Amino acid sequence: DGSLGGVGIYLALCRALRFRRQEEHKKMCAEGRQERVVQNLIELEFPFTWYESQEFGLFRTYAIPSISKLLAQTRKFEKTVQKRYDDTVLI
């Protein structure tokens, strides 16, 4: 069946590229570039998990009653939601 062959090729390619990237990460760590390794892992291996965790962090922070009350009073969350999300991602 053609679709099984395509899946097999895709899995083999993923495996080869992952091992190649693993070797690159080992070299980067030896060179003291650990931050770049983490960035690669986030962007290439776990992008969905990373962005969902950022959104959850934002949600959880502003679900605290004292913070949400202050944001509602000042209307800061409504006006600067993208900035707050970007700041959460930076943390």
Side-chain angles (χ1 to χ4, degrees), residues 38-70:
V38 171
Q39 185 178 359
N40 280 349
L41 288 173
I42 289 169
E43 292 173 354
L44 301 173
E45 299 289 338
F46 306 105
F48 177 78
T49 305
W50 171 256
Y51 289 110
E52 287 299 310
S53 67
Q54 297 307 307
E55 291 172 359
F56 183 73
L58 183 70
F59 170 77
R60 186 165 184 254
T61 299
Y62 297 115
I64 297 170
S66 59
I67 294 175
S68 61
K69 182 179 176 184
L70 179 64

Side-chain angles (χ1 to χ4, degrees), residues 5-76:
V7 170
I9 291 171
Y10 172 76
L11 292 175
L13 179 62
C14 287
R15 182 181 172 123
L17 292 174
R18 181 168 286 142
F19 283 116
R20 185 174 76 187
R21 193 166 34 244
Q22 183 180 18
E23 292 303 315
E24 290 172 7
H25 288 167
K26 286 179 184 178
K27 290 177 189 175
M28 284 191 247
C29 283
E31 297 168 357
R33 297 172 40 204
Q34 292 86 354
E35 287 182 21
R36 182 64 188 150
V37 171
V38 171
Q39 185 178 359
N40 280 349
L41 288 173
I42 289 169
E43 292 173 354
L44 301 173
E45 299 289 338
F46 306 105
F48 177 78
T49 305
W50 171 256
Y51 289 110
E52 287 299 310
S53 67
Q54 297 307 307
E55 291 172 359
F56 183 73
L58 183 70
F59 170 77
R60 186 165 184 254
T61 299
Y62 297 115
I64 297 170
S66 59
I67 294 175
S68 61
K69 182 179 176 184
L70 179 64
L71 288 171
Q73 288 173 348
T74 61
R75 302 180 70 89
K76 289 285 188 180

